[in-house]
Amino acid sequence: MSFGEPEGYDGDARPRPLGRRGASQAAAAAVCLVLGLGLISGAVTGSWLVGDSGAEGSPSTFAAAGSLWHSVPVDQLFPPTVQGQGAGPGGADRTWTRIAVAPDSGCKDAFDPLLRKALAPVGCERLLRATYTDATESYVTTVGLLFTTADAPGMTSLANRFRKERLDRRSDLMPLPYAAKDTPAARFGPQQRAAWTVSVLTEAPVVVYAVSGWADGRTVDDPQPAGDAMEPGATTAPAQAGLGNEAQGLADRVERDLRKNVRSATEQPS
């Protein structure tokens, strides 16, 4: 693409084109430039919205994400009802209903010791949690948003460690559930954890996680990472029940809502 020749100024300090470029050519060039910048900006925003955590967001996006825990209503972070089109085993649809929201808090006593130690490098600004059940109230899933105090390099470092050491697959690093009294999750304790997922974002100071189990309080001897439980042919009890899909599907949708809220925050006029 050619943007023509540079502009100069006439004797009255008015812009004038140099060379032979006409006004229409100048206008076309300006439009191309604006459209090009818009496409670049849209691509960056779009990659964040679809979940490309390999590309770090802008400083303003990172800062906006870190402030959502106190600036966005809980119903936007954890909607009362979450639709999971195609999120179940075999592409079945899922609907999750929120049954409890934990008071926002720090991270003391919110994680098992080993997971707390693994997350310690990024700090803990605030922890938000909610528990959902499926349409039949057979399963319960706690989803959490850990807002950290880390900068972008700190989050990238932790994400790399989780990936290289496969920390998100270790059963001794499972998140804890939030078992709210007088709900279907009342018996959802540490021994009832069946499947889980942990995602360390690099474009936001947030760790997203989810852990699922049965609502009847049964203990689980062989919990599985959600990814393993969702593998075709997996035969463990969590896999057969679709609990990997419960954890991963709900975590994915809460993360998407987080990204949408960040976009809304960054688009607000200053």
Side-chain angles (χ1 to χ4, degrees):
M1 180 186 296
S2 172
F3 288 102
E5 300 176 13
E7 289 185 337
Y9 294 88
D10 61 17
D12 295 321
R14 293 175 299 189
R16 63 175 176 82
L18 295 177
R20 293 176 295 176
R21 187 178 68 176
S24 61
Q25 291 174 297
V31 169
C32 289
L33 178 60
V34 170
L35 289 175
L37 291 175
L39 288 172
I40 293 172
S41 174
V44 172
T45 301
S47 67
W48 207 90
L49 288 173
V50 299
D52 182 9
S53 59
E56 294 184 4
S58 68
S60 61
T61 297
F62 193 90
S67 67
L68 290 183
W69 66 268
H70 63 77
S71 62
V72 173
V74 66
D75 284 354
Q76 290 180 225
L77 295 174
F78 300 126
T81 303
V82 177
Q83 299 297 331
Q85 185 175 3
D93 294 340
R94 281 288 187 267
T95 298
W96 296 285
T97 301
R98 192 185 70 201
I99 54 177
V101 177
D104 64 310
S105 66
C107 294
K108 184 180 179 181
D109 301 324
F111 299 109
D112 283 339
L114 283 179
L115 182 55
R116 184 168 64 245
K117 182 178 180 180
L119 295 172
V122 295
C124 174
E125 176 69 23
R126 219 66 173 176
L127 177 63
L128 307 182
R129 294 169 292 168
T131 298
Y132 288 78
T133 188
D134 69 307
T136 67
E137 296 191 356
S138 300
Y139 312 121
V140 284
T141 303
T142 292
V143 60
L145 295 172
L146 167 60
F147 290 83
T148 76
T149 59
D151 56 12
M155 294 301 294
T156 298
S157 177
L158 183 65
N160 289 338
R161 186 188 172 205
F162 262 70
R163 183 179 66 254
K164 292 176 181 177
E165 300 180 25
R166 298 165 69 87
L167 300 185
D168 58 338
R169 301 171 62 83
R170 284 177 43 173
S171 60
D172 57 352
L173 294 176
M174 276 191 293
L176 285 170
Y178 175 61
K181 295 180 180 180
D182 302 319
T183 73
R187 293 182 286 175
F188 188 24
Q191 300 304 315
Q192 284 70 43
R193 293 175 290 183
W196 78 96
T197 180
V198 179
S199 177
V200 181
L201 305 187
T202 58
E203 69 279 35
V206 180
V207 177
V208 183
Y209 68 84
V211 57
S212 62
W214 280 274
D216 61 9
R218 75 183 72 177
T219 59
V220 180
D221 296 325
D222 55 350
Q224 275 193 302
D228 287 355
M230 294 169 63
E231 285 290 331
T235 59
T236 63
Q240 292 292 306
L243 286 165
N245 299 78
E246 296 292 310
Q248 191 66 63
L250 190 53
D252 286 347
R253 281 150 185 82
V254 168
E255 183 177 328
R256 290 178 193 175
D257 284 341
L258 175 76
R259 297 173 187 278
K260 291 176 183 177
N261 282 307
V262 171
R263 186 176 72 166
S264 295
T266 54
E267 287 179 347
Q268 290 176 357
S270 57

